[in-house]
Amino acid sequence: MSRQDARLGVDIGGTFTDVVLETRGESFSTKVLTKYDAPEQAILDGMQAVCAKAGITPHDITQIIHGTTLATNALIERRGAKTALITTEGFRDVIEMRTESRFEQYDLNLQLPEPLLPRQMRYTVPGRIDATGAELIPLDPADIEPVVEAIALAGYESVAIGLLHSYLNPAHERLVRGVLAARLPDVTISISCEVSPQMREYERFNTVVANAYIKPLMKSYLGRLEGRLRETGVDCAIFLMHSGGGIISLESAAEFPVRLVESGPAGGAVFAAHIAARYGLDKVLSFDMGGTTAKICLIQNQTPKTSRVFEVARSYRFKKGSGMPISIPVIDMVEIGAGGGSLAHVDSMRQIRVGPHSAGSEPGPACYGRGGLKPAVTDADLVLGKLDSDNFAGGSITLDVTASKSAIAETLGAPLGLDDMTAAFGLSEVVDENMANAARVHAVENGEDLSEYTMIAFGGAAPLHAARLCEKLGVERLLVPPGAGVGSAIGFLRAPFSFEATRSVYMTLDGFDAPTVRSLLSELQSEATAFVQICAPDADIIAEYKVYMRYKGQGWEIPIALTPAQANAPDAALFKTLFEADYARLFGRAVAGMDIEITVWSVNATTPPQDTPLTEQSDGERSAVMKGKCTFFDAALGAKQNGYIFPRDTLRVGDIANGPAMIPEDETTIIIPSSRRAIRQPDGCIDITPKEQDA
């Protein structure tokens, strides 16, 4: 066997670590409980398991692609390094003042999220760069040394440097870094002109602070991971999935760990986009529900929607502005604390609340028998009959129904006077409604009607809840692809090598300077290409160009795509035509007589996408042969229903399974409610639609 045949995808989640090995045209996968004190151990255990299934050794693996929620969890749980911020005099409180926007204007008791660093951990230096990039006030090394001494005395592990307008002129930030590095060589340093060279001080400062905050943690973890893999005989290249949906080198990931904030969910979006391409679907709602969080993403024309700013840990009903903004290229999605391990409680209003706190893998839901005492979503699923206690996670974990009932009764049933089944139904319905609300908000923010979309569900818990979400959202069609339980890890193996370089250079179309534009885009193209060549030195690399434009006076821009020819021969009239066409498509009409300005320039260097042929589709040929009977609670009917079990590996192409039914597999279980039917498609997808469509 050629070593070129073996590629490993690894996704560390808050509860499970998913491992997928593709070799010789076959796929082998497993789920291992994540180990918080040594997350790399779960990777090693999972790798050994799939290698044994495939009959190869770790030495035979030729490529490892890894994504993780460790960076996200460190930010959400505030478990980063002791970090200081050095900024310009007068701007010490930018990350605390935020944008002064009230994301809920009628809430008189509104509480803004706390900044990542309190005021005493923020320092200032004199010197000033103006909005054109010119030096307004010089900065001398002597002005920096007192701040460096204070940082040395306080014992900081990491330092973020964010100075005014450094995206135009980085000289002062580099000077501060030089003085700091000379005095404190063991302290990790992040500078905003490299982490996020974009306008808007609050977002840029917050991003460089986040990068510095998680950098020691991620650098240590990635170093340990590489060392442990080498000890097992792995000698191949190791890459990381980044938040924008591409792959970067281990070294780049260690230097810019903030780009890993949404690496696991980004892999899931790539996976869903790949399925959408196979089915020729232009409007897809990607639904990824794991053990700790649920992620929802809109995919249009087989491409995940992207953004330049992402909010981590939205704290107020999923609203924009209530989270921690990270200004990096990212796949745009909403993420909430709703997973199989999300814990439930009764609040002061005697209402059931679920999440954001999670049981994770240690101790896990009560049914894991590892010491968990509070009810989680998985406990409710088990009590409602949606899980087989003897065959959870491929039989690696035996679930304790009695423990689930006890936890639900004590935490929910007793305070509310509910029996076990009703309390479990309440828990499940609350978490489903939370996810449905998040999807509705995300769709409204993007001006989309979800009834026009097809849902693609994956992640260990998503197939259990997806059909109910479709009922709530009015979504007609649901696809659950093969390997759904480890979908993000499969997505890593479908992703291209890519890196997006951005820069803020303000320019109006009235003052359009074609030579400057051409030079700027060429520099960005070279920068982005250099990062990709580190990962794939012999691969073909294509450049995707975008400019972010708006009418003068507006607060936010829209992205305008350019072809390579348009980027090489920039023209103001062409830019105007492109902008007005996209603006009219988004908002109904263009605005006459207003000057147009460009704020951000972007080039994404990427290897070409994989060819994805359309799959054949079956309308259903015969009734599936049931392999057992089941009883589970159907939320839409509010009662238990008797149904049949159709193990996924026994379904033939064209088999029809009418709900109520369960389709179990090693890594998840698909629930087909009474309102739906399922067809096994030629590529292995389970295609779920309302029964009334049969007429």
Side-chain angles (χ1 to χ4, degrees), residues 87-92 123-128 163-164:
T87 189
T88 304
E89 278 186 355
F91 292 84
R92 181 181 183 182
Y123 301 83
T124 64
V125 293
R128 185 75 171 263
L163 304 181
L164 202 62

Short mmCIF file of all heavy atoms in Angstrom, two decimals, residues 87-92 123-128 163-164:
data_model
loop_
_atom_site.label_atom_id
_atom_site.label_comp_id
_atom_site.label_asym_id
_atom_site.label_seq_id
_atom_site.Cartn_x
_atom_site.Cartn_y
_atom_site.Cartn_z
N THR A 87 -1.11 49.64 24.78
CA THR A 87 -1.81 50.40 23.76
C THR A 87 -1.41 51.87 23.81
O THR A 87 -0.57 52.27 24.62
CB THR A 87 -3.34 50.22 23.92
OG1 THR A 87 -3.99 50.80 22.80
CG2 THR A 87 -3.85 50.86 25.20
N THR A 88 -2.01 52.67 22.96
CA THR A 88 -1.69 54.09 22.85
C THR A 88 -2.31 54.87 24.00
O THR A 88 -3.43 54.57 24.43
CB THR A 88 -2.21 54.63 21.50
OG1 THR A 88 -1.65 53.85 20.44
CG2 THR A 88 -1.83 56.09 21.31
N GLU A 89 -1.60 55.88 24.49
CA GLU A 89 -2.14 56.73 25.55
C GLU A 89 -3.51 57.27 25.15
O GLU A 89 -3.71 57.74 24.02
CB GLU A 89 -1.19 57.90 25.83
CG GLU A 89 -0.05 57.54 26.75
CD GLU A 89 0.80 58.76 27.13
OE1 GLU A 89 0.53 59.86 26.59
OE2 GLU A 89 1.71 58.62 27.96
N GLY A 90 -4.45 57.18 26.10
CA GLY A 90 -5.81 57.64 25.83
C GLY A 90 -6.73 56.57 25.32
O GLY A 90 -7.94 56.81 25.19
N PHE A 91 -6.21 55.37 25.04
CA PHE A 91 -7.02 54.30 24.47
C PHE A 91 -7.00 53.03 25.34
O PHE A 91 -7.31 51.95 24.88
CB PHE A 91 -6.56 53.98 23.05
CG PHE A 91 -6.85 55.09 22.08
CD1 PHE A 91 -5.98 56.16 21.95
CD2 PHE A 91 -8.02 55.10 21.34
CE1 PHE A 91 -6.26 57.21 21.09
CE2 PHE A 91 -8.31 56.13 20.48
CZ PHE A 91 -7.43 57.19 20.35
N ARG A 92 -6.67 53.23 26.60
CA ARG A 92 -6.56 52.11 27.53
C ARG A 92 -7.89 51.37 27.71
O ARG A 92 -7.91 50.16 27.92
CB ARG A 92 -6.08 52.65 28.88
CG ARG A 92 -5.88 51.61 29.97
CD ARG A 92 -5.42 52.29 31.25
NE ARG A 92 -5.14 51.33 32.31
CZ ARG A 92 -4.77 51.68 33.54
NH1 ARG A 92 -4.62 52.98 33.83
NH2 ARG A 92 -4.54 50.77 34.45
N TYR A 123 -1.82 48.69 29.74
CA TYR A 123 -0.79 49.72 29.88
C TYR A 123 -0.75 50.59 28.63
O TYR A 123 -1.18 50.17 27.55
CB TYR A 123 0.59 49.07 30.10
CG TYR A 123 0.66 48.18 31.32
CD1 TYR A 123 0.21 46.86 31.28
CD2 TYR A 123 1.17 48.66 32.52
CE1 TYR A 123 0.27 46.04 32.40
CE2 TYR A 123 1.24 47.85 33.65
CZ TYR A 123 0.79 46.54 33.58
OH TYR A 123 0.85 45.74 34.70
N THR A 124 -0.23 51.80 28.77
CA THR A 124 -0.17 52.71 27.63
C THR A 124 1.23 53.26 27.42
O THR A 124 2.03 53.35 28.36
CB THR A 124 -1.14 53.90 27.81
OG1 THR A 124 -0.73 54.69 28.95
CG2 THR A 124 -2.57 53.42 27.99
N VAL A 125 1.51 53.60 26.17
CA VAL A 125 2.76 54.27 25.81
C VAL A 125 2.42 55.50 24.97
O VAL A 125 1.38 55.53 24.30
CB VAL A 125 3.69 53.34 24.99
CG1 VAL A 125 4.18 52.18 25.84
CG2 VAL A 125 3.00 52.83 23.74
N PRO A 126 3.26 56.54 25.01
CA PRO A 126 3.03 57.71 24.16
C PRO A 126 3.36 57.37 22.71
O PRO A 126 3.67 56.23 22.37
CB PRO A 126 3.98 58.76 24.73
CG PRO A 126 5.07 57.96 25.37
CD PRO A 126 4.42 56.72 25.89
N GLY A 127 3.29 58.37 21.85
CA GLY A 127 3.50 58.12 20.43
C GLY A 127 2.17 57.97 19.74
O GLY A 127 1.20 57.46 20.32
N ARG A 128 2.09 58.41 18.50
CA ARG A 128 0.80 58.39 17.81
C ARG A 128 0.99 58.34 16.30
O ARG A 128 1.75 59.12 15.72
CB ARG A 128 0.02 59.66 18.20
CG ARG A 128 -1.40 59.78 17.69
CD ARG A 128 -2.36 58.87 18.45
NE ARG A 128 -3.73 59.17 18.08
CZ ARG A 128 -4.57 59.95 18.74
NH1 ARG A 128 -4.15 60.56 19.85
NH2 ARG A 128 -5.80 60.14 18.32
N LEU A 163 -1.68 49.32 18.94
CA LEU A 163 -1.55 50.78 18.90
C LEU A 163 -2.43 51.36 17.81
O LEU A 163 -2.80 50.69 16.84
CB LEU A 163 -0.09 51.17 18.67
CG LEU A 163 0.94 50.61 19.67
CD1 LEU A 163 2.34 51.11 19.33
CD2 LEU A 163 0.57 50.96 21.10
N LEU A 164 -2.73 52.63 17.96
CA LEU A 164 -3.65 53.30 17.05
C LEU A 164 -3.11 53.30 15.61
O LEU A 164 -1.95 53.63 15.37
CB LEU A 164 -3.86 54.73 17.54
CG LEU A 164 -5.14 55.44 17.07
CD1 LEU A 164 -6.37 54.70 17.58
CD2 LEU A 164 -5.15 56.88 17.56
#
